[in-house]
Amino acid sequence: MPAKPMTYWNYIKVEELLALQSGLEGEDTMRNDEVMFVVVHQIDELWFKLALRELVLIRDLFAQRHVAEQSLSSAVRGLRRTVLLFGQVASHFALMETLTTRDYLAFRDKLYPASGFQSAQLREIEIIMGLQSADRIPLGHETYLRALQNPDGSPSPASRRVQARLEDLPSLRVALDEWLYRTPIDGSLPDDIGDEEHVRGVAEGFIEAHAREIDRNRQRAMSEALTPEDRERLDARYLREAESTRAFLLAEDLPEDTSADERSRRARIRAALLFIESYRELPLLAWPREVIDSIVALEQAFVIFRQRHARMVERVIGRRTGTGGSAGVEYLDQTALKYRVFRDVWAVRTLLLRQSALPELQNPSYYGFVAADDDTNA
Amino acid sequence: MPAKPMTYWNYIKVEELLALQSGLEGEDTMRNDEVMFVVVHQIDELWFKLALRELVLIRDLFAQRHVAEQSLSSAVRGLRRTVLLFGQVASHFALMETLTTRDYLAFRDKLYPASGFQSAQLREIEIIMGLQSADRIPLGHETYLRALQNPDGSPSPASRRVQARLEDLPSLRVALDEWLYRTPIDGSLPDDIGDEEHVRGVAEGFIEAHAREIDRNRQRAMSEALTPEDRERLDARYLREAESTRAFLLAEDLPEDTSADERSRRARIRAALLFIESYRELPLLAWPREVIDSIVALEQAFVIFRQRHARMVERVIGRRTGTGGSAGVEYLDQTALKYRVFRDVWAVRTLLLRQSALPELQNPSYYGFVAADDDTNA
Amino acid sequence: MPAKPMTYWNYIKVEELLALQSGLEGEDTMRNDEVMFVVVHQIDELWFKLALRELVLIRDLFAQRHVAEQSLSSAVRGLRRTVLLFGQVASHFALMETLTTRDYLAFRDKLYPASGFQSAQLREIEIIMGLQSADRIPLGHETYLRALQNPDGSPSPASRRVQARLEDLPSLRVALDEWLYRTPIDGSLPDDIGDEEHVRGVAEGFIEAHAREIDRNRQRAMSEALTPEDRERLDARYLREAESTRAFLLAEDLPEDTSADERSRRARIRAALLFIESYRELPLLAWPREVIDSIVALEQAFVIFRQRHARMVERVIGRRTGTGGSAGVEYLDQTALKYRVFRDVWAVRTLLLRQSALPELQNPSYYGFVAADDDTNA
Amino acid sequence: MPAKPMTYWNYIKVEELLALQSGLEGEDTMRNDEVMFVVVHQIDELWFKLALRELVLIRDLFAQRHVAEQSLSSAVRGLRRTVLLFGQVASHFALMETLTTRDYLAFRDKLYPASGFQSAQLREIEIIMGLQSADRIPLGHETYLRALQNPDGSPSPASRRVQARLEDLPSLRVALDEWLYRTPIDGSLPDDIGDEEHVRGVAEGFIEAHAREIDRNRQRAMSEALTPEDRERLDARYLREAESTRAFLLAEDLPEDTSADERSRRARIRAALLFIESYRELPLLAWPREVIDSIVALEQAFVIFRQRHARMVERVIGRRTGTGGSAGVEYLDQTALKYRVFRDVWAVRTLLLRQSALPELQNPSYYGFVAADDDTNA
């Protein structure tokens, strides 16, 4: 027996969907402003759901013991889609700003003490990306987990979602680090004999090249400095820059009690990031490089969303205390500045060199195509 | 007894909402591509709901026998919000384009014969705006109403919605015409003695000014025309332009069997549009002019949405036949070009004159503020 | 003799324009990345020029002793255009981000010590809006004016532009304050007898209404607070809010040495802002209210531009020191958070009340249309 | 001797740039509206210049006899940048719409007979992409080349630019075809013995798979068709679809007088497009597939720009005749619908199959990485 023919309204569940905007008191008594307020938050949640699904899939991909090269382009596609999703959410703020302060106040009281901070999925996105609880800025007097529970402290659908996500390991950041750790660096793999020395050699080569660039800039700046104080200041700055580059690439900036193994692992991850970004023309590195670039775009899109959120709140309600009790605008702006998940990825950008200043590779052919030596040109 | 404290998840109905993306077979077996496909359509429906609510409210406002001047700024706010809503919907297409042809085909078959043409709310928006059934381009072999019914021809939730909307009169276009009809034109109201002659005088004054402008342009073009054929062609074109302006403003372009009353009514509406746009600096006309401008922006935003829709379909599925049996891209592009609701509003743009060429008014003080003659300046 | 017929290339000066992208060394040796870098900055300057022209025109309008009501809609149009202009500039950052770090570094050295901080027009925009020199965050070791001079300290085209703008008074903020000061508040003008008491009465009425709202919120929050500490904290917060509202509206927050006149003037300006936003339905207030809303949109658009700028710099060059010697990303983020020109406009948003909590007016008819009492409805 | 230190104003040529907005009569007498009109066109030209440089570079790349795989990611980057550039130009229309009809008319007369159709660079972009002169829609009574000359018919800077571009061969379309022609199809290259049969076999395999899909859809649709007429209509449609797929892939749709060689060449190009899109997971095809996708995005962005252009013109001036004598809005809308450069790329989208319906390959390993068989995972 054939299934009933499909209809748009069954597939999209239109009627069920359009019955969910009744807020507290029923849609008939709600003004358009409030219905819009409800709908925009619902749409945010729908975008968040998609973003979460993409992030989980990408995390699963990198969490494998072996990541097939062929799958990287699909990871990149997923990351780019997530960037677009964050962009969609950010674009709602202009719409929300059609709500004037006075008109928002007409129904704001009813919401107390509910708050956008109670969006479980937004917290889940932070968690799956890899934001650590210790890095969170406290939200008023209570923890973010408490804010997600029912007012009486019992578990809520929101707190249950977040709790489950906290246990859904690894985060994308950790999975990506694992994958980065296994990058062949100038032809050497972690299990290869002598890999640690080889990688150290690559890092030292880069550190030297970097120092040469810095010295070049220093000399130029010096020739134009007008006073001895200027020269001293410049000298000190460039010295600091060279030292911090070395410390970062050799992982000497980690806490003192870091084990030698962990330090060496971290150094390899950072060397891999630098290697991928610096030699991106090698065929085997082209997609890893797109992965890194998409990760930067992902975190950037999230920060842009946070800052745009702060601007909307500032415009619609000013600097008053949020319904959830937070400091509102300032809290949002601070999370935008302080929350960074992929710190090493960002840090590496500060070290990159122009192409002509890069050390030469020993094993570029390792990164080629089977068909590359033929005179083919697909 | 105090009500239970509000939570975000109860107010937004997060859990109910996130349970609606199971499509046909349950979410667990769906790939991200399909979930995104479902979610984007759900979000479209949510934006459409808001747009409909705004359009109904604005229609209600203009459908009153007396429209308070104070309420015009809120009508403008509603229209501008609707423009933003259409913009949101249009912005989803870039996201939808992250779905590649091949990946869309992986689940497309299941949808047959469902189709986006079965969105009741999109049809409702067209209806409440004032699109007339006779102006619709046929969708394959069946009427748009048939496409909204169940496959067996019985009424569906979609067809019931559209049926109800067809009976929800007047449309915004008709309500707006009523309001425009009552515009004081150079101080004269429809019920004033001699109004028809007065309005005709204003129209004739404009027609003359318009003819002078055309003649000015004609002479300039003539002086630069190189051949007698060019001159003839120019002469003919400018003559045609002058004649069609006259015919339009005196409503002589209506079908022959139009009653004199209806012709005079239409002429007054067109004169009102011209008057409002031409003398927009008069305080009493400032908001009506924003209304007209927002109506233009509304219809434009809808056309932009239609054309962007066609571009997405062309990109994702090419020129193949739609799941609903339509000619796909071409149908969408044709609706964008042919569907225009506020035809007189658009037509007036083609006639407007630069400010210095406008006839002078007899009664500008009619359109002022109580406090305007004082040297106040709020 | 007739003028030569106009051509696009003469009017737009296409050839002259397309000859200006040779950078330092001539276009032939420049890579596309660098040409794009030059062009984007040129386009920024062109948008800035338009923004400056709009801001000057709006400033001139409000700097008049009498601002005709009819001209407010054109001021609003100018402000909205400027908002779009800032949006255009912000939209370039996504394009600039197609420049990878490594490729930017290929030509970055040549630019030293030039820097985007040397854009005179951006400084002029800040100055004409009303940013005060004392509020600027120092840019490294030198003043912003020094950065605009030639490297040897002599005046440059940039420093001359900024110097001239510093003398081009008043700023938009000051001109707007003058206009706000003259707002009729519940029918009373500054020169009217008893105006100061009248305005004070309106302010006190609002302060009382505000206190009632706060108390309402306080009681609600108290009933849900769980611990005595929570209750104490809430009590303190709401008390603080009531006090700061009073201080702000009576201008008691100004420095101690402020003259009574200046304090009364400031109180009147703040009352006017509150009055316009609270009673925006009154016909005479409809456009002033759009002015205020557009000012908020203007400053917001500028902050959004600043934050997006910081994100682009962070993405392309990371946290390295700027070519001009600044701390780069952090400096940009700090200016976004700290620079606010229209502080009173923003502060008032934090005080607004929902419509039903507002005190009633004594003289609403003062704000009507001449034609309003007739049963007309243009 | 060291060079003079660089300044922003010298590098960007700020002063020269800001001196170019004087239009016809000098900036002092121009209103902001007209200065904006000039500046927006100047900025369009600057974006066009960048787009042209990118397109030329990409064309040069594909015009090589051997295109290194490593260079494809840079071609994709260039194409994506061009898409963003077209997006920037399209975003100006919202700004242009702040110009009201009446205010545009205040200076429009002066422009006659100049026109945006005289933008040489826009024509150059069409030419370098590969639009053929024969495909152009006539612009009124004169050729597009005549419109670019001086009014007296002598060569102008614009006509000289376009003439030079017409001689700058090949177009991107032609260069891309050359590159596509050389694609290894299931491991076979054009010069390989038996390549023609091999490619024909791949095409036939696809044609069969395609026919199976069509039959599947046909049967499904038949089971739900209600009347014999419906069934006949469906039968005919699906038959037509199968036949046109076969004709397209075997290049049987070319004009009768096409040589066998040319027919076989065209069939190979189309097979290559189909092959790349269908088996995009193969490492060697990942970047070619991004190239194809970016070409689609490029042409789409151009069409979106054209349609948005039509909407702006319709809004600002209505349906009146353009200053250059064209039919304005309708002409613009027609070019958007009719001008397509990469027709085969678009046509292939209509044929693609879902992954599980694709024939299996014989030589997938041909498309792998050197390092792929190791258990590495960069």
Side-chain angles (χ1 to χ4, degrees), chain D residues 222-352:
Chain D
M222 293 302 259
S223 78
E224 282 162 19
L226 299 171
T227 66
E229 292 76 34
D230 276 5
R231 273 190 283 274
E232 233 168 87
R233 209 171 24 77
L234 281 167
D235 252 352
R237 194 176 80 198
Y238 284 116
L239 185 63
R240 216 163 46 234
E241 210 171 317
E243 277 170 359
S244 73
T245 298
R246 178 173 199 86
F248 176 80
L249 282 179
L250 303 182
E252 291 166 355
D253 58 334
L254 301 188
E256 272 192 36
D257 58 350
T258 309
S259 71
D261 267 13
E262 176 52 27
R263 208 177 287 275
S264 147
R265 192 176 162 280
R266 179 58 45 196
R268 199 177 204 288
I269 289 169
R270 291 172 175 177
L273 279 165
L274 196 63
F275 186 77
I276 291 169
E277 292 244 45
S278 298
Y279 303 98
R280 64 182 194 224
E281 273 77 14
L282 298 174
L284 194 64
L285 297 184
W287 284 106
R289 195 261 161 185
E290 295 286 312
V291 169
I292 302 307
D293 193 57
S294 305
I295 289 286
V296 168
L298 177 79
E299 183 136 44
Q300 187 198 38
F302 206 45
V303 176
I304 288 173
F305 154 74
R306 289 187 199 273
Q307 291 188 318
R308 188 66 184 81
H309 188 186
R311 302 286 69 74
M312 182 276 286
V313 172
E314 184 177 25
R315 179 158 176 183
V316 175
I317 66 168
R319 303 248 159 196
R320 65 186 86 201
T321 311
T323 43
S326 85
V329 181
E330 267 155 73
Y331 175 81
L332 292 170
D333 268 318
Q334 284 312 307
T335 59
L337 293 187
K338 302 271 184 263
Y339 286 12
R340 285 291 183 287
V341 171
F342 302 98
R343 294 183 183 275
D344 280 355
V345 175
W346 287 102
V348 162
R349 299 193 104 56
T350 311
L351 309 181
L352 294 180

Side-chain angles (χ1 to χ4, degrees), chain A residues 158-206:
Chain A
S159 68
R160 270 188 287 257
R161 278 183 183 271
V162 168
Q163 204 56 56
R165 190 62 69 193
L166 284 167
E167 290 154 24
D168 174 25
L169 300 173
S171 68
L172 174 57
R173 180 177 57 73
V174 168
L176 202 74
D177 273 357
E178 280 302 309
W179 171 75
L180 283 167
Y181 175 70
R182 296 190 308 260
T183 302
I185 296 182
D186 204 3
S188 173
L189 288 162
D191 290 344
D192 288 357
I193 293 167
D195 175 68
E196 194 166 348
E197 293 69 41
H198 187 86
V199 171
R200 172 114 190 181
V202 170
E204 294 280 6
F206 187 88

Side-chain angles (χ1 to χ4, degrees), chain A residues 31 97 100-103 105-113 141 146 151-152 210 213 216-217 220-222 224 226 230 233-234 237-238 241 277-281 289 293-294 296-297 300 303-304 307-308 310-312 314-322 325-326 329 333-334 336-337 340 346 348-355 358, chain C residues 31 97 100-103 105-113 141 146 151-152 210 213 216-217 220-222 224 226 230 233-234 237-238 241 277-281 289 293-294 296-297 300 303-304 307-308 310-312 314-322 325-326 329 333-334 336-337 340 346 348-355 358:
Chain A
R31 300 194 50 207
E97 287 163 4
T100 69
T101 311
R102 214 193 58 188
D103 296 338
L105 294 175
F107 63 91
R108 185 182 187 242
D109 277 0
K110 295 190 305 186
L111 312 185
Y112 179 88
H141 61 295
R146 178 63 188 88
D152 66 5
H210 192 267
E213 284 292 280
R216 197 160 151 267
N217 293 339
R220 173 152 186 186
M222 292 301 257
E224 283 161 19
L226 299 170
D230 276 6
R233 209 170 24 76
L234 280 167
R237 194 176 81 200
Y238 285 116
E241 210 170 316
E277 293 244 44
S278 297
Y279 303 98
R280 65 183 194 221
E281 273 77 14
R289 195 262 161 183
D293 193 58
S294 305
V296 168
Q300 187 199 39
V303 176
I304 289 173
Q307 291 189 318
R308 189 66 186 79
R311 301 287 69 74
M312 182 277 284
E314 184 177 24
R315 178 158 175 182
V316 176
I317 66 167
R319 303 248 159 196
R320 64 185 88 201
T321 310
S326 85
V329 181
D333 268 317
Q334 285 311 306
L337 293 187
R340 285 290 183 288
W346 288 102
V348 161
R349 297 193 105 56
T350 311
L351 309 181
L352 294 181
L353 298 177
R354 62 204 162 95
Q355 195 167 11
L358 286 172
Chain C
R31 300 193 51 207
E97 287 163 3
T100 69
T101 311
R102 214 193 58 187
D103 295 338
L105 294 175
F107 64 90
R108 186 185 187 237
D109 278 0
K110 296 190 304 185
L111 313 184
Y112 180 88
H141 60 296
R146 178 63 189 87
D152 66 4
H210 192 268
E213 283 291 281
R216 197 160 151 270
N217 292 339
R220 173 150 187 190
M222 292 301 258
E224 283 162 19
L226 299 171
D230 275 6
R233 210 171 22 79
L234 281 166
R237 194 176 81 199
Y238 285 116
E241 209 170 318
E277 293 244 45
S278 297
Y279 302 99
R280 65 181 194 223
E281 273 78 14
R289 195 262 162 186
D293 192 57
S294 305
V296 168
Q300 187 198 39
V303 177
I304 288 172
Q307 291 189 318
R308 188 65 185 81
R311 301 286 70 72
M312 182 276 285
E314 185 178 23
R315 178 158 175 183
V316 176
I317 66 166
R319 302 249 160 197
R320 63 186 87 199
T321 311
S326 86
V329 181
D333 268 317
Q334 285 311 307
L337 294 186
R340 284 292 183 285
W346 288 102
V348 161
R349 299 194 103 56
T350 310
L351 309 181
L352 294 181
L353 297 178
R354 63 202 161 94
Q355 194 166 13
L358 287 171

Side-chain angles (χ1 to χ4, degrees), chain B residues 64-116:
Chain B
Q64 295 169 98
R65 290 186 55 89
H66 175 79
V67 182
E69 292 305 322
Q70 291 88 304
S71 59
L72 293 184
S73 68
S74 81
V76 169
R77 209 155 47 238
L79 286 165
R80 290 211 187 114
R81 182 181 281 176
T82 313
V83 168
L84 284 180
L85 288 167
F86 290 162
Q88 290 290 344
V89 182
S91 78
H92 301 170
F93 296 125
L95 184 67
M96 203 63 124
E97 287 162 3
T98 62
L99 189 58
T100 69
T101 311
R102 215 194 57 187
D103 296 339
Y104 172 48
L105 294 175
F107 64 91
R108 186 184 186 237
D109 278 359
K110 296 191 303 185
L111 312 186
Y112 179 88
S115 147

Side-chain angles (χ1 to χ4, degrees), chain C residues 76-96:
Chain C
V76 168
R77 206 153 52 236
L79 286 165
R80 291 210 188 116
R81 181 181 284 175
T82 314
V83 168
L84 284 180
L85 288 168
F86 289 162
Q88 289 289 345
V89 182
S91 79
H92 301 170
F93 295 126
L95 183 68
M96 203 63 126

Side-chain angles (χ1 to χ4, degrees), chain D residues 139-157:
Chain D
L139 168 71
H141 60 296
E142 42 175 40
T143 65
Y144 82 100
L145 280 170
R146 178 63 188 87
L148 292 165
Q149 291 163 353
N150 284 318
D152 66 6
S154 61
S156 73

Side-chain angles (χ1 to χ4, degrees), chain A residues 28 45 54 71 76 81 99 104 117 181 198 214 216 220 236 240 276 287 294 299:
Chain A
D28 293 347
E45 293 295 335
E54 292 294 335
S71 59
V76 168
R81 182 181 283 175
L99 189 59
Y104 172 48
F117 292 109
Y181 175 70
H198 187 86
I214 284 187
R216 197 160 151 267
R220 173 152 186 186
R240 219 164 43 236
I276 291 168
W287 284 106
S294 305
E299 182 135 44

